[in-house]
Amino acid sequence: MTGDAVKAKNGAMVAYDGRMTFKKMTGGGDGLRGMVTRRLTGEQMEVMEVKGHGTCYFADRASEINLVRLHGEKLYVEASNLLCTDAALRTGTTFTGLRGASQGNGLFTTTVEGSGQAAIVSDGPAVVLRVTKQYPLQVDPGAYVAHTGDLKQHFQSGVNFRTFIGEGSGESFQIRFEGEGLVYVQPSERNTVGGEL
């Protein structure tokens, strides 16, 4: 950093050189309104602002880190998968409906928008999958990390008679993405409410 700032998950700094200041930010960096929104939505995220001159290193439980460059678009990411962002990027929350509930993450997810970089973490190297109008994508809710672009999400159930008699695949619910954009998935599944019936 050369006098600029980043917003990072509290406790994510593992080392730095140069001169840095660290300040806890109220409401996930969005002030009082952001704090109230996050409390109401359950999309909690403790954030600090790091400013200074030098290099600051961030990590979270040895997770893989993926840099996503935004050019005025919006990134939708699970709060637990967001490591840090350029300070100029705005964060907020958006309604995800049953998708979030199936993951055990609640009905809302974090949004990051503007121009700059965001660092997202995944359990193993993230796979970036392109969605087009001709090729929609189904994703296991436990493997979903983030997405960008003009995508519509539908929560769909693979529950049928075979599932109830124990002959199902174990993949009871999926998220279907349609439109144009990118979806980030991890090669590992979180424990989810919808993973098993």
Side-chain angles (χ1 to χ4, degrees):
M1 288 185 278
T2 56
D4 48 336
V6 296
K7 293 185 284 192
K9 185 184 287 190
N10 264 4
M13 185 279 292
V14 293
Y16 71 90
D17 60 39
R19 290 176 304 148
M20 301 282 167
T21 60
F22 300 86
K23 180 175 125 188
K24 183 175 180 179
M25 299 181 78
T26 306
D30 301 311
L32 186 59
R33 182 173 179 220
M35 182 173 66
V36 170
T37 302
R38 288 184 184 282
R39 288 257 162 85
L40 289 173
T41 62
E43 191 69 358
Q44 297 286 356
M45 195 170 82
E46 297 290 324
V47 175
M48 64 180 170
E49 181 183 63
V50 183
K51 274 186 184 175
H53 294 268
T55 304
C56 192
Y57 300 89
F58 300 102
D60 185 17
R61 292 169 291 149
S63 299
E64 295 283 332
I65 298 173
N66 306 274
L67 293 178
V68 179
R69 182 165 290 285
L70 299 174
H71 301 283
E73 64 261 72
K74 191 180 284 192
L75 171 71
Y76 299 83
V77 59
E78 295 304 320
S80 59
N81 293 99
L82 183 60
L83 181 63
C84 63
T85 70
D86 288 339
L89 291 172
R90 295 176 309 282
T91 56
T93 55
T94 191
F95 181 71
T96 60
L98 289 175
R99 175 181 70 74
S102 73
Q103 289 177 241
N105 288 341
L107 299 176
F108 295 84
T109 196
T110 296
T111 58
V112 179
E113 61 184 311
S115 294
Q117 285 192 105
I120 59 176
V121 293
S122 58
D123 186 8
V127 180
V128 184
L129 302 169
R130 180 167 295 284
V131 179
T132 65
K133 289 183 176 141
Q134 297 82 13
Y135 296 102
L137 178 70
Q138 278 74 230
V139 173
D140 183 299
Y144 169 82
V145 173
H147 74 272
T148 60
D150 185 19
L151 293 174
K152 288 186 174 50
Q153 321 174 43
H154 307 286
F155 181 72
Q156 62 185 38
S157 168
V159 177
N160 56 31
F161 178 70
R162 296 178 72 84
T163 305
F164 285 113
I165 61 172
E167 294 181 4
S169 67
E171 302 296 334
S172 303
F173 299 93
Q174 298 93 37
I175 312 163
R176 181 179 172 93
F177 289 94
E178 296 175 346
E180 299 279 342
L182 300 174
V183 177
Y184 296 77
V185 295
Q186 60 188 10
S188 170
E189 294 182 53
R190 294 176 204 85
N191 290 331
T192 64
V193 174
E196 293 295 327
L197 250 159

